[in-house]
Amino acid sequence: FLGLFHFILSNLAPSLPLQEDFVYHWKAITHYYIETSDDKAPVTDTNIPSHLEQMLDILTQEESERESGETGPCMEYLLHHKILETLFTLGKADCPPGMKQQVLSFYTKLLGRIHQPLLPHINVHRPVQKLIRLCGEILAAPTENEEIQFLCIVCAKLKQDPYLVNFFLEVSMMSIRCYHNRVASKFMLSSLSVSQDGRIVVKACEGLMLLVSLPEPAAAKCLTENTELCELLTDRLSAFYKALPMSMDPLDIETVESVNWGLDVYNMKDDAAIFTGKRALISFLSWLDYCDQLIKEAQKTAAAVLAKAVRERFFVAVMEPQLMQTSEVGILTSTALLNRIIRQVTSEALLQDMVYFLLGEEKGPETLASIAQNPLRHRLIEHCDHLSDEISIMTLRLFEQLIQKPNQHILHSLMLRSLEERNYLENKPQEEREPVENGQDLEEDPLFVDDFSPENRLSSPDWLSNSPTHSPYHAKPDGKTEVHKIVNSFLCLVPDEAKSSSHVEGTGYDTYLRDAHRQFRDYCGICQRWDWRGTPKAMEKCDLDSPFFEGHFLKVLFDRMGRILDQPYDVNLHVTSVLSKLSLLPHPHIHEYLLDPYINLGPGCRSLFSVIVRVVGDLMLRIQRIPDFTPKLLLVRKRLLGLEPEGLNIDHMTLLEGVIVLEEFCKELAAIAFVKFHASASTSP
């Protein structure tokens, strides 16, 4: 009964006005310093934490009871009496012990709970700036968690209202340096270099990401120019890379699970797929992901500076020597790592600088004499035709990954700058042309006249009429007929006795059509914002008299394609895969050069079709010297598909596997040509 009576009285009695209650708690704190003689007792043994929490509750309640944006008397009291300044002084002295943690927590909660803008007030942003400078003075301090929480809430407020950064960026360069050095470099140093607490590391990274995304150019400038941010990011990236083993299995590098920077949790005991260097590899990829995401979120000028720093301080200084070495084991490992990096990078600025590192910034036409001007680009392309098949395959995979990235300079550097003037075309009148030497004129080539029999073609009238003078992308009434000619040209290249797909179910042309449709749609999505014209450059505007060079990259690919009957199956798969990816690109010059069998090539020029024609010519001569060629070919195909068990060795295995890849590649090119034509026809007026 007495308890109930006390409860009723306490609820009926008028409560103190909020301001009086607020002042009471604040004076209780100040009286502690006046009355106490024991300044060694920890703050947790006093009532200070409770009074501070009560003050926060009162401020929160006051704001909730008032109109939005209206400042109440308690907040006025806090501002007028410079309570935050006093708390900063007490926190700096850490008196009583642990007071610094309490002050940091009070600032954090105040900025987080109160919705009205506080930072514009001089009696808020000045003590906040002083407290920022106090953070990170002692690395791995007991207060590091509270420091990170406080700095993150400041960053969040600046991200929420970017104009607030101007209250921290004073005219004095020294002031700018002090503020950002604490928020950025000390922030990173204390948490990333020393802290063993993963939660603090993640929180520090989150805060820094908020900071770099501030849109004010002045903030971006002082962050990148007056702090150690660039050095911290790149030095840590370099350190993680250098911690990797000198030799790693490329398959391990490729297949290790993707790790987001905030989720870098690794338990060696629970990992069933442990390999030497896995922990180091995950750490490197995790930090690379953070750098990539940081640059993606950063203000534009800050992103450019950060990306350039990664290029100069990591790619050039650390990776380039590894890629240029002569040790085959080292080349293989570094190329596999580069391939993984290319796959992982998504930020536009970092991708651009990585591409410039790999391929250079040159935009003019490539010449045979100039291909070695950029040593790294030259070396990487040469590695596509390395004596080591493993290095060749890994480098081909690297370029296949690269040409699928959304960056226009990649394709311009590797292909388009060589095709821009269309000077691969014959520039003489018909009567002045020299006899065809490049295998392009199918009607005059005795190796192929007999093979173009009606049963090998798609239905199309006057199939072998004179070569058309327009590409299939020109709007002509008989455009569909032309694409049938092109499709048939590829489908009929391989002679019947060298074909085996028709004898095995599920290896038809339809599969390639579906794949080509999907891949072409994806490429169009990547390329749609580039300034690629829909039709070839007008002949009268082309410099047809300049000597044509296909470019170093296509030269190596064509050379390898020309040896398809004499090189390993896996190499052939990757060579043809890269060429098919290039053929899918929706650029008229690429289509004309790689997919139009009827173009009139200039003297000494070759195209993809002419290279294949030469290969088929060589094949038809070899077939005559191999007994039971067709049955052996079918057996090899079934073994490759797992339909036949491995048995005795078959003579000419490399040749037979090469023929199978050649047949499939021709079907794939026919499907790509068909899909690209119909996509063009459906979008034309």
Side-chain angles (χ1 to χ4, degrees):
F1 176 78
L2 289 174
L4 178 62
F5 181 71
H6 180 266
F7 174 78
I8 293 171
L9 285 177
S10 64
N11 279 274
L12 292 176
S15 60
L16 285 173
L18 286 178
Q19 184 179 1
E20 291 183 31
D21 204 6
F22 185 81
V23 173
Y24 162 75
H25 288 293
W26 174 240
K27 288 188 174 179
I29 293 173
T30 56
H31 287 164
Y32 168 85
Y33 288 93
I34 296 171
E35 297 170 358
T36 188
S37 58
D38 182 12
D39 59 356
K40 301 299 183 184
V43 71
T44 51
D45 289 352
T46 73
N47 290 325
I48 291 176
S50 176
H51 288 304
L52 288 173
E53 192 63 37
Q54 290 293 325
M55 290 169 66
L56 285 167
D57 290 342
I58 291 168
L59 290 169
T60 304
Q61 181 183 343
E62 178 184 72
E63 185 180 51
S64 68
E65 295 174 353
R66 292 185 169 270
E67 294 290 333
S68 178
E70 183 183 350
T71 303
C74 297
M75 183 60 74
E76 291 283 4
Y77 186 90
L78 178 140
L79 297 172
H80 182 71
H81 288 82
K82 300 182 179 179
I83 288 178
L84 294 181
E85 287 278 4
T86 304
L87 284 175
F88 165 74
T89 303
L90 299 176
K92 184 177 182 181
D94 199 29
C95 179
M99 189 62 185
K100 183 179 178 182
Q101 284 178 304
Q102 296 297 321
V103 171
L104 284 162
S105 180
F106 183 86
Y107 272 62
T108 301
K109 292 175 181 177
L110 179 70
L111 293 173
R113 292 182 187 178
I114 302 301
H115 299 293
Q116 68 183 82
L118 295 179
L119 287 176
H121 294 282
I122 191 170
N123 289 334
V124 176
H125 74 251
R126 277 192 177 175
V128 165
Q129 188 171 357
K130 291 178 182 177
L131 194 57
I132 287 171
R133 294 171 184 166
L134 197 62
C135 294
E137 284 196 335
I138 301 174
L139 301 181
T143 58
E144 69 171 355
N145 182 47
E146 288 76 15
E147 289 179 20
I148 292 299
Q149 298 289 343
F150 164 65
L151 291 171
C152 281
I153 194 64
V154 173
C155 292
K157 288 294 179 182
L158 295 178
K159 173 69 174 176
Q160 182 180 334
D161 295 301
Y163 78 93
L164 294 174
V165 78
N166 295 303
F167 294 106
F168 295 87
L169 297 178
E170 300 176 5
V171 175
S172 164
M173 184 55 70
M174 182 60 69
S175 174
I176 291 175
R177 184 174 293 111
C178 283
Y179 169 66
H180 276 293
N181 196 46
R182 297 305 180 197
V183 176
S185 57
K186 290 293 183 186
F187 197 31
M188 298 291 284
L189 277 169
S190 64
S191 60
L192 301 180
S193 301
V194 180
S195 178
Q196 299 300 310
D197 191 331
R199 295 169 301 173
I200 291 176
V201 172
V202 170
K203 201 69 180 174
C205 290
E206 289 173 350
L208 186 53
M209 196 167 287
L210 288 170
L211 195 62
V212 299
S213 66
L214 295 175
E216 270 63 20
K221 183 177 181 182
C222 70
L223 184 64
T224 53
E225 293 183 5
N226 300 304
T227 75
E228 299 171 5
L229 176 59
C230 292
E231 290 80 2
L232 283 166
L233 288 175
T234 54
D235 288 352
R236 194 166 176 82
L237 190 63
S238 299
F240 279 132
Y241 185 87
K242 291 176 181 176
L244 296 170
M246 296 297 291
S247 173
M248 298 179 73
D249 187 334
L251 186 62
D252 290 336
I253 296 172
E254 180 185 5
T255 58
V256 71
E257 59 271 20
S258 297
V259 180
N260 295 326
W261 65 267
L263 302 173
D264 182 9
V265 179
Y266 178 71
N267 190 333
M268 188 173 289
K269 293 181 181 178
D270 298 336
D271 193 343
I274 297 175
F275 56 85
T276 303
K278 183 171 185 178
R279 168 70 267 182
L281 179 60
I282 289 177
S283 295
F284 169 72
L285 294 175
S286 177
W287 188 247
L288 173 68
D289 181 60
Y290 177 69
C291 294
D292 183 46
Q293 296 301 318
L294 186 77
I295 294 171
K296 181 185 283 188
E297 295 294 326
Q299 190 263 0
K300 190 172 182 179
T301 56
V305 174
L306 291 168
K308 186 177 181 182
V310 173
R311 174 185 173 184
E312 293 175 350
R313 296 173 59 87
F314 172 65
F315 283 124
V316 174
V318 178
M319 282 213 74
E320 185 167 355
Q322 297 297 310
L323 295 166
M324 295 293 287
Q325 64 181 302
T326 55
S327 163
E328 290 192 0
V329 172
I331 293 171
L332 190 61
T333 300
S334 58
T335 306
L337 286 167
L338 178 58
N339 191 24
R340 183 64 191 254
I341 292 170
I342 291 171
R343 192 174 100 196
Q344 190 160 318
V345 168
T346 59
S347 68
E348 189 174 337
L350 185 55
L351 177 60
Q352 185 70 69
D353 270 282
M354 181 176 68
V355 169
Y356 284 156
F357 159 70
L358 294 172
L359 304 179
E361 301 183 39
E362 297 80 8
K363 298 185 183 298
E366 201 174 358
T367 65
L368 191 58
S370 68
I371 60 174
Q373 286 182 355
N374 186 321
L376 178 61
R377 181 184 189 274
H378 181 265
R379 183 70 62 87
L380 287 174
I381 293 175
E382 285 293 306
H383 282 175
C384 292
D385 197 2
H386 198 275
L387 289 174
S388 163
D389 292 332
E390 280 190 288
I391 291 176
S392 292
I393 290 170
M394 182 51 62
T395 312
L396 286 164
R397 294 177 68 178
L398 183 150
F399 278 103
E400 184 174 357
Q401 189 74 238
L402 192 62
I403 60 179
Q404 296 178 80
K405 303 297 284 189
N407 182 280
Q408 188 173 2
H409 185 71
I410 296 170
L411 300 169
H412 182 82
S413 175
L414 292 176
M415 281 188 70
L416 286 175
R417 60 180 176 148
S418 298
L419 307 180
E420 186 65 29
E421 297 301 324
R422 301 177 69 193
N423 48 346
Y424 44 83
L425 297 173
E426 175 63 76
N427 191 28
K428 294 181 180 179
Q430 184 73 37
E431 60 274 9
E432 297 181 19
R433 293 178 188 170
E434 299 176 6
V436 175
E437 294 292 338
N438 54 31
Q440 197 74 354
D441 192 338
L442 305 183
E443 296 173 80
E444 301 301 323
D445 194 326
L447 288 171
F448 297 99
V449 170
D450 294 337
D451 188 53
F452 292 138
S453 54
E455 59 270 20
N456 287 332
R457 312 170 190 160
L458 292 178
S459 57
S460 173
D462 54 291
W463 192 85
L464 273 178
S465 61
N466 290 332
S467 299
T469 57
H470 297 80
S471 82
Y473 275 87
H474 285 203
K476 291 182 61 185
D478 60 341
K480 187 173 290 189
T481 301
E482 288 186 23
V483 78
H484 282 172
K485 293 178 182 178
I486 290 172
V487 169
N488 279 318
S489 297
F490 284 110
L491 290 179
C492 299
L493 262 178
V494 178
D496 283 348
E497 58 267 36
K499 290 180 178 178
S500 55
S501 62
S502 60
H503 301 286
V504 179
E505 188 176 350
T507 58
Y509 171 66
D510 292 347
T511 304
Y512 288 110
L513 280 174
R514 288 191 293 271
D515 291 343
H517 177 75
R518 175 182 52 81
Q519 293 175 15
F520 183 63
R521 181 186 58 210
D522 293 343
Y523 265 124
C524 288
I526 293 173
C527 305
Q528 64 182 355
R529 58 193 179 96
W530 300 343
D531 56 344
W532 282 5
R533 62 178 70 90
T535 56
K537 184 177 180 181
M539 295 288 286
E540 59 271 15
K541 295 182 179 179
C542 295
D543 183 9
L544 297 174
D545 293 325
S546 60
F548 174 69
F549 174 55
E550 59 221 16
H552 191 195
F553 185 55
L554 282 180
K555 177 185 183 302
V556 170
L557 290 178
F558 284 178
D559 288 348
R560 294 229 72 149
M561 189 66 208
R563 302 198 302 272
I564 193 171
L565 303 179
D566 301 296
Q567 57 196 11
Y569 178 72
D570 287 339
V571 172
N572 287 336
L573 288 180
H574 286 90
V575 170
T576 54
S577 181
V578 173
L579 285 167
S580 68
K581 294 288 191 304
L582 293 174
S583 301
L584 280 161
L585 291 165
H587 191 286
H589 294 182
I590 293 176
H591 180 90
E592 178 179 64
Y593 185 62
L594 295 183
L595 290 177
D596 191 344
Y598 292 98
I599 57 172
N600 294 308
L601 293 173
C605 300
R606 58 180 178 171
S607 68
L608 177 56
F609 190 81
S610 74
V611 171
I612 298 175
V613 165
R614 286 297 177 198
V615 170
V616 174
D618 181 33
L619 170 63
M620 294 181 72
L621 295 176
R622 294 200 201 186
I623 287 175
Q624 311 302 322
R625 300 193 292 267
I626 301 176
D628 301 320
F629 179 85
T630 303
K632 289 179 180 177
L633 185 66
L634 183 58
L635 178 59
V636 171
R637 178 180 281 273
K638 287 182 177 180
R639 283 188 181 180
L640 290 173
L641 293 173
L643 302 176
E644 288 282 345
E646 292 295 326
L648 297 174
N649 289 335
I650 301 175
D651 293 337
H652 310 287
M653 177 67 81
T654 299
L655 170 67
L656 294 168
E657 290 176 337
V659 172
I660 291 169
V661 175
L662 180 63
E663 181 188 355
E664 296 303 310
F665 185 47
C666 288
K667 286 157 54 180
E668 186 175 17
L669 292 176
I672 292 170
F674 185 82
V675 166
K676 289 178 76 174
F677 170 79
H678 279 282
S680 174
S682 64
T683 57
S684 61

